[in-house]
Amino acid sequence: ALGFLEQCLEICEKFFSKNHANLIPNLMNYGEVLRATGNCSKAKEVYENAIVIHELNFKEGQKAGQLEKCRSEIQELTVMIEEGKNDRFKLPRSTSDADINTIPHVDVEATGTPIIVVTDIGRDTDDELAVILLASLKRMSLLNPIAVVTTLPPQRERAWLVRGSLDALGMLDVPVGIGSTGGVKDGQLLEYYGGNYARQSNGIFEDGVDLMIRGLKASPPNSVQLLCIASLTDAATLLRDNEDLVLKKVKEVIVMGGLQPLETSDFIQPDSAYNNYCDMPAAQFVYKRCQELGIPTLTLSRWAAYEAAVSASLLADTLASTEHMVASNIRQVSEANILNLWKKVNYPPADPRREKLPERCNRQWFCKTFMDKEDVDERDDVSLWSQIKKFNMYDPLAVLSCVPAFREELFRGTSKMVNGTTHTLIGVSKDDASIVQVEALHAKLTTLLEHSLRRSLLDFS
């Protein structure tokens, strides 16, 4: 709103005479938004300017309510400035002019488990659904996101999207950083859907790994969960270059991915899941080093996601009914994402247009996964979208598994002990998906997602 109001005022100043009375309502709106974003000093100046224009245009008693509103705002803003509440939402412009104090010391008892999230938001909608879920768990003081880092090109635009999503969901204080290409060749851009709330921000860190380091330094020992719902490149860089810090601060690494059969080796090893496949050397390094250092891991596989697939109506009806801008965007882009995925699975396995989609993700896989049938109905009067029955909630499930109470209630993982440390797999195989009760899981997800959207609307109303 801030940018639009500034444009509006520029237009008004060009077409109205100087100090025209029509400027006053726009100045008052501008002051209100400045106050909401924490820029109290500038907001006060804007209201003072509105009073000057009011006194030039109206006699005493005319538009008295307008004048009283401006004076009241100035009084409140003066108090806020004196109490040090000015610029309370402003984040650092970049890592070059910010220090560790930009991420306050993490109080686990008050705010929940600190968590760092690596995401490729904007590829498919489950990453953004994971952000919605994260907002709900943050309000419940179960998880405290201390850093969100975007990966896979265009990673900068992904950072803009997650910044907008976090803000729209009430998480203005969660810092965002730009990560690596995630193993993708330089210059290759992968699918990205965007949103009208995605925005550039001076509060986005240029170096995502540096942001993760700052988050770890601000956290108590053995307290942080590192959640990778994307390529493991940035997690590998963090671990490789800051091993002592990671070992001291990270209590668990959670990966939305997959493992080779546990019985095939004394060690756990990543399989061909997409997030592993993007940068397999990075995935192999993260798992190998975690086992050597004694850092517990939890892996949630596609088998769990397949078993817990949700009805398409959750996106089309339940969440969209909140009329939240993030939910509306997810509903709108879901159809386009499905159509794009349909094109990819029909390309030959070596075709670069598949964007590193594993070879097993073919036409038959698509029909089974999203339609519960062997093949599509290709009659002219039957659309592909109308045949979609369910969606896989890969990343929301991974977020849910980060909360010990939900993990115990909803999942039944299989563990493997390596060097005295437990490593857990949720979703061992098609026949052992590790879901305790699908209906209970669906109910929990739906409640938390809907609550997050509706609560954030109330917070901003």
Side-chain angles (χ1 to χ4, degrees), residues 1-11 30 34 42:
L2 198 63
F4 285 122
L5 281 165
E6 287 169 348
Q7 291 177 39
C8 178
L9 284 167
E10 287 177 9
I11 294 169
Y30 186 38
L34 285 168
K42 189 171 181 180

Side-chain angles (χ1 to χ4, degrees), residues 226-246:
L226 174 57
L227 172 62
C228 299
I229 52 177
S231 167
L232 276 71
T233 304
D234 295 281
T237 300
L238 176 69
L239 180 55
R240 185 181 293 112
D241 298 342
N242 306 273
E243 188 173 282
D244 290 344
L245 178 64
V246 173

Side-chain angles (χ1 to χ4, degrees), residues 114-126:
I115 185 169
I116 294 172
V117 182
V118 182
T119 174
D120 55 5
I121 189 171
R123 271 187 59 77
D124 43 43
T125 57
D126 68 321

Side-chain angles (χ1 to χ4, degrees), residues 105-106 108 114 215-224 244-251:
H105 178 74
V106 176
V108 177
L216 291 178
K217 288 181 177 179
S219 302
N222 196 36
S223 67
V224 179
D244 290 344
L245 178 64
V246 173
L247 184 59
K248 180 180 179 181
K249 298 299 183 84
V250 175
K251 71 174 183 178

Side-chain angles (χ1 to χ4, degrees), residues 370-430:
F370 298 101
M371 300 177 177
D372 261 343
K373 57 184 182 181
E374 296 299 325
D375 207 348
V376 300
D377 185 338
E378 297 190 279
R379 290 177 296 172
D380 291 340
D381 61 340
V382 180
S383 70
L384 181 71
W385 177 250
S386 67
Q387 300 175 67
I388 300 300
K389 303 299 181 187
K390 56 185 181 179
F391 286 97
N392 296 322
M393 304 288 275
Y394 300 97
D395 298 338
L397 292 183
V399 171
L400 206 57
S401 72
C402 293
V403 179
F406 293 154
R407 186 185 302 181
E408 182 178 348
E409 175 189 357
L410 302 170
F411 304 104
R412 186 183 59 252
T414 298
S415 297
K416 187 180 184 73
M417 192 72 69
V418 180
N419 292 332
T421 300
T422 301
H423 300 272
T424 304
L425 174 61
I426 295 176
V428 176
S429 65
K430 181 179 180 180

Side-chain angles (χ1 to χ4, degrees), residues 139-271:
R139 283 192 177 87
M140 298 165 69
S141 297
L142 294 174
L143 295 179
N144 175 23
I146 57 173
V148 177
V149 175
T150 56
T151 183
L152 297 187
Q155 61 267 44
R156 181 176 299 278
E157 284 80 355
R158 297 188 196 282
W160 297 347
L161 178 60
V162 79
R163 177 72 275 155
S165 297
L166 290 167
D167 290 354
L169 293 162
M171 294 189 285
L172 293 86
D173 59 335
V174 177
V176 172
I178 302 170
S180 69
T181 61
V184 175
K185 294 179 181 178
D186 288 341
Q188 181 183 357
L189 297 181
L190 303 185
E191 187 176 348
Y192 170 72
Y193 62 70
N196 59 12
Y197 46 84
R199 67 180 188 89
Q200 301 181 42
S201 169
N202 291 331
I204 294 176
F205 284 78
E206 289 292 328
D207 187 338
V209 172
D210 185 59
L211 174 60
M212 291 194 280
I213 292 170
R214 292 166 184 267
L216 291 178
K217 288 181 177 179
S219 302
N222 196 36
S223 67
V224 179
Q225 290 178 314
L226 174 57
L227 172 62
C228 299
I229 52 177
S231 167
L232 276 71
T233 304
D234 295 281
T237 300
L238 176 69
L239 180 55
R240 185 181 293 112
D241 298 342
N242 306 273
E243 188 173 282
D244 290 344
L245 178 64
V246 173
L247 184 59
K248 180 180 179 181
K249 298 299 183 84
V250 175
K251 71 174 183 178
E252 186 178 37
V253 175
I254 298 101
V255 180
M256 177 58 241
L259 298 177
Q260 295 181 19
L262 297 179
E263 67 276 6
T264 58
S265 171
D266 291 336
F267 294 89
I268 59 171
Q269 301 178 54
D271 68 2

